[in-house]
Amino acid sequence: MNDRIFYTKPSITALERDYAADAAANGWGAQCYDYIIRFEREFGAWLGSTHTIATSSCTGALHMGMAALGIGPSDEVILADTNWIATVAPVVHLGATPVFVDIDPTSWCIDPQAAERAITPRTRAIVATHVYGNMADMDALLALGERTGIPIIEDGAEAIGSAWHGGRRAGSMGRFGTFSFHGTKTLTTGEGGMFVTSDAALYERVLTLSNHGRARGQVKQFWPDMVGFKYKMSNVQAAMGCAQLERIEDLVSRKRAILARYRAALDGLPRLSMNPEPAGTVNGAWMPTVVFARESGVTREDMQQAFAAANIDARVFFHPLSELPMFEARPENRHAWDIPGRAINLPSYHDMTDDDIARVCAVVTALANR
């Protein structure tokens, strides 16, 4: 049997190993934050955001950002029904109510018109998750936020390298943005995340929350000004992040090249679509995804079985959050409920060979032509 093709693996080189080893050997005492400070500064410069806070996860960054906005019980937060649980968990932890709306059938991201229809006097934020590297319609969402005064939050966990019109990077446009550096992501620190904003006052609130509630201007030692959080990134993780950031253009370019290779091989197949890249945008191509048309008859289960038989990992499209047992079902979100049943994520790790990609394409082609 052919070697197994995994759906994701990180790209780790001698640079990452050297930086991590230096942090492990020397990053203590007065140097315990050196790589963290450097990673925050350099990530902000690359992204185009004024303020950054390295965190233990994207989920933690979302939790602190929402808390700093004052979101709590009796409030509502609007988000797409197509999301991983990590995006909605902070809403629930804060005691607020998630309001799930449908997705745009082309981008698979939140539908701005559906979001606008869901606004009530209790709405405190709208979360735009950029799914699989695809971009939500930020022009429409930012205009909606401007009209209503409702903050737009960008969940850029899956959108490193994606950009909106004018070269604005995913995560840099909303009231705040968050990123994930999980081991599956284009840029990885193993686990980890980043909070980003250009709102100085919001940054100060989150900075205080991120340090157990100790304000940086507080002169009393070990004197918290409020109850905060502990979502810090370690210096060793940040060292890996610094190394990855030095390679970011190559990492994103390789992801985009893999998506382009898939697109070139599969473009002529009937009744099949992939990650969109509208004019003026850049898709960071975190997770190449194929969606079969409903009339094709190809199901998620068909794809899972075919890939398993070929010894290839393939990841299912996100189930709608409102289908999960802890939430109220919202089948009226028809695209969010329909697309997952006929879609699958394709392998896209950085050192995939052309032969690996050809094996994946052979499975998709066989399903399309059956």
Side-chain angles (χ1 to χ4, degrees):
M1 177 175 286
N2 290 320
D3 291 340
R4 188 162 189 79
I5 297 176
F6 298 99
Y7 77 85
T8 184
K9 290 188 294 185
S11 174
I12 305 299
T13 68
L15 186 65
E16 286 83 359
R17 294 192 292 271
D18 289 347
Y19 277 28
D22 178 60
N26 304 306
W28 309 102
Q31 286 76 48
C32 68
Y33 296 115
D34 285 3
Y35 277 111
I36 297 172
I37 294 168
R38 175 179 166 183
F39 186 36
E40 290 173 339
R41 181 182 66 247
E42 293 179 355
F43 187 84
W46 175 80
L47 186 71
S49 281
T50 310
H51 305 293
T52 54
I53 300 173
T55 61
S56 57
S57 68
C58 183
T59 310
L62 281 167
H63 195 173
M64 291 191 296
M66 290 180 182
L69 289 178
I71 294 170
S74 81
D75 294 331
E76 295 176 347
V77 175
I78 296 169
L79 67 161
D81 212 349
T82 295
N83 258 303
W84 174 228
I85 189 71
T87 308
V88 70
V91 178
V92 176
H93 290 321
L94 289 167
T97 301
V99 178
F100 301 123
V101 300
D102 207 0
I103 56 173
D104 178 280
T106 302
S107 71
W108 319 325
C109 300
I110 189 168
D111 179 342
Q113 293 182 341
E116 183 167 11
R117 289 194 296 270
I119 292 173
T120 74
R122 297 170 57 192
T123 303
R124 292 296 303 275
I126 298 171
V127 182
T129 302
H130 304 304
V131 177
Y132 304 139
N134 304 348
M135 290 288 295
D137 186 341
M138 289 306 297
D139 287 345
L141 290 166
L142 292 172
L144 176 59
E146 185 71 23
R147 289 198 309 273
T148 62
I150 296 170
I152 305 299
I153 299 168
E154 284 186 87
D155 177 359
E158 303 176 5
I160 288 281
S162 298
W164 192 242
H165 301 279
R168 294 170 290 171
R169 295 195 188 277
S172 69
M173 294 169 278
R175 183 73 175 278
F176 72 83
T178 60
F179 291 89
S180 170
F181 307 129
H182 183 265
T184 61
K185 298 301 190 290
T186 301
L187 186 159
T188 185
T189 59
E191 287 282 1
M194 191 75 75
F195 170 91
V196 303
T197 186
S198 292
D199 182 326
L202 181 64
Y203 167 72
E204 290 295 337
R205 290 198 293 275
V206 175
L207 188 65
T208 298
L209 286 171
S210 73
N211 191 27
H212 289 297
R214 293 184 289 182
R216 64 173 169 173
Q218 177 56 256
V219 296
K220 292 183 181 180
Q221 191 175 25
F222 291 110
W223 185 272
D225 297 276
M226 62 181 71
V227 176
F229 299 96
K230 177 67 171 179
Y231 286 138
K232 288 185 177 180
M233 177 180 283
S234 76
N235 204 43
V236 175
Q237 288 175 301
M240 287 189 62
C242 288
Q244 291 262 288
L245 197 54
E246 288 185 27
R247 302 175 53 225
I248 187 62
E249 300 305 330
D250 288 340
L251 292 172
V252 173
S253 293
R254 179 57 185 153
K255 279 286 195 175
R256 285 178 49 75
I258 291 170
L259 175 59
R261 178 80 65 168
Y262 277 132
R263 200 185 303 280
L266 302 175
D267 193 45
L269 294 178
R271 302 170 301 183
L272 183 146
S273 59
M274 294 193 69
N275 307 59
E277 189 173 55
T281 70
V282 176
N283 193 312
W286 174 62
M287 192 67 71
T289 301
V290 293
V291 179
F292 280 88
R294 196 176 301 104
E295 58 269 22
S296 72
V298 178
T299 68
R300 171 179 53 211
E301 290 71 27
D302 293 334
M303 289 182 271
Q304 287 180 287
Q305 291 172 13
F307 279 110
N311 203 26
I312 298 171
D313 270 342
R315 213 181 79 146
V316 300
F317 197 98
F318 289 134
H319 302 280
L321 290 174
S322 71
E323 190 179 23
L324 301 178
M326 65 285 290
F327 300 115
E328 182 180 352
R330 295 289 303 272
E332 63 270 26
N333 295 332
R334 61 189 186 92
H335 298 303
W337 277 65
D338 172 51
I339 291 174
R342 47 190 177 88
I344 204 148
N345 302 144
L346 305 180
S348 61
Y349 54 89
H350 299 82
D351 57 352
M352 283 188 79
T353 66
D354 288 348
D355 286 345
D356 292 332
I357 295 173
R359 280 179 55 194
V360 175
C361 290
V363 175
V364 178
T365 301
L367 286 163
N369 292 330
R370 69 178 192 175

